[in-house]
Amino acid sequence: MPWKKSDTAIPFCKVCFSPIKNHDFVSFWDPEPLVCPKCRMAMNPRKHEEQIGKWKAVSFYVYDEMIQAMLYQLKGCGDYEMAKTFLHAYVLYLRWRYRTYVLVPAPSFKEREEARGFNQVEAIFEELKLPFCHAVTKVDNIKQADLHWKERQDIGKHIVWNPKANVVGKRVLFVDDLLTTGATAKAVCRLLEEHKAKEVRILVMARTPKKEAEGHQKLKIP
Ligand SMILES: [Zn+2]
């Protein structure tokens, strides 16, 4: 029998593909779960608030092996369905919490986005159904993961403001899939303030464990 996932009565976990039989413990705020209880436990959601520069930031997961694998599935393999799994259980809360904000997605390099067919940050946050403002783009195909900590602090050089964007007097929420050193977030938040946003905040799906982010240096192979 051909496998159908959309028109079957039993929902399948988007991570491990097993049927979601019993989800009573989350059904109150997540009546149509996308991941099974086992995967949800493994994803280990933990809402974390912190200060990035002068801006308040909220993250929902720690960037561990599980989240890393899921993000790879989304970004590396182009599995669009994976995008919804991260914030699905918090969508109602987030939609209400940030109802007066416009979302500014992290800058991406257009050509890489076109190759993948979608922008992974927008894919993760579009369920919030809040307006997007494409205020920033990346001017070259630079990958944060390839940069040393010091080079990451100069990331602002690679980010440009979209002259059509208008954030004057608006509450703006910078959104990204991953927060590591916070260099990108800070660079964008600075630009948003320069362009007269009324209030600027940060919301990220996952955060690299702090020690790793600060001391992270890429190993050089001799
Ligand atoms: Zn599962």
Side-chain angles (χ1 to χ4, degrees):
M1 194 179 83
W3 181 58
K4 291 181 182 179
K5 63 177 178 180
S6 56
D7 54 359
T8 173
I10 307 163
F12 285 88
C13 173
K14 297 220 185 280
V15 180
C16 71
F17 303 111
S18 62
I20 306 174
K21 291 171 196 155
N22 184 357
H23 51 82
D24 285 346
F25 80 107
V26 288
S27 60
F28 177 71
W29 66 89
D30 190 11
E32 291 171 9
L34 299 177
V35 294
C36 71
K38 206 175 152 195
C39 289
R40 173 136 294 278
M41 290 279 279
M43 286 166 78
N44 192 17
R46 269 185 277 173
K47 186 171 171 244
H48 177 68
E49 290 177 28
E50 66 188 294
Q51 198 78 15
I52 298 293
K54 49 190 271 210
W55 300 281
K56 279 185 182 158
V58 173
S59 54
F60 276 82
Y61 298 93
V62 173
Y63 186 61
D64 56 13
E65 276 179 29
M66 177 76 177
I67 298 297
Q68 194 178 358
M70 289 174 72
L71 262 181
Y72 177 74
Q73 186 73 17
L74 173 70
K75 300 205 280 191
C77 309
D79 182 358
Y80 185 79
E81 290 287 296
M82 194 56 74
K84 296 177 188 168
T85 60
F86 299 108
L87 298 177
H88 183 77
Y90 314 106
V91 156
L92 291 179
Y93 161 74
L94 290 170
R95 206 177 282 162
W96 172 81
R97 172 65 186 84
Y98 297 109
R99 65 196 178 280
T100 56
Y101 288 74
V102 291
L103 309 187
V104 167
S108 65
F109 185 58
K110 272 275 164 275
E111 282 166 33
R112 195 182 316 153
E113 202 174 291
E114 277 161 17
R116 191 188 292 126
F118 61 89
N119 173 309
Q120 85 272 3
V121 176
E122 283 183 50
I124 291 171
F125 289 91
E126 71 187 355
E127 264 207 299
L128 269 58
K129 295 192 168 61
L130 296 171
F132 278 111
C133 171
H134 299 96
V136 281
T137 36
K138 224 178 250 182
V139 281
D140 39 49
N141 193 7
I142 193 164
K143 262 191 187 178
Q144 285 257 70
D146 296 337
L147 301 179
H148 292 280
W149 191 84
K150 274 191 180 148
E151 292 168 327
R152 286 184 182 212
Q153 306 313 302
D154 293 331
I155 194 75
K157 286 182 200 161
H158 307 276
I159 297 169
V160 290
W161 185 259
N162 170 8
K164 288 180 190 161
N166 179 6
V167 295
V168 178
K170 290 180 185 169
R171 288 198 170 95
V172 181
L173 188 64
F174 169 74
V175 291
D176 204 351
D177 52 353
L178 187 60
L179 187 83
T180 303
T181 65
T184 302
K186 280 190 241 174
V188 175
C189 289
R190 233 174 272 133
L191 278 174
L192 289 165
E193 284 196 346
E194 278 169 31
H195 289 84
K196 310 260 186 300
K198 182 172 149 191
E199 194 188 321
V200 178
R201 284 177 184 250
I202 301 164
L203 177 65
V204 291
M205 189 273 283
R207 184 211 212 290
T208 314
K210 271 205 166 166
K211 271 183 194 161
E212 201 182 303
E214 280 156 14
H216 183 75
Q217 292 285 329
K218 269 182 92 79
L219 288 173
K220 276 192 183 141
I221 298 157

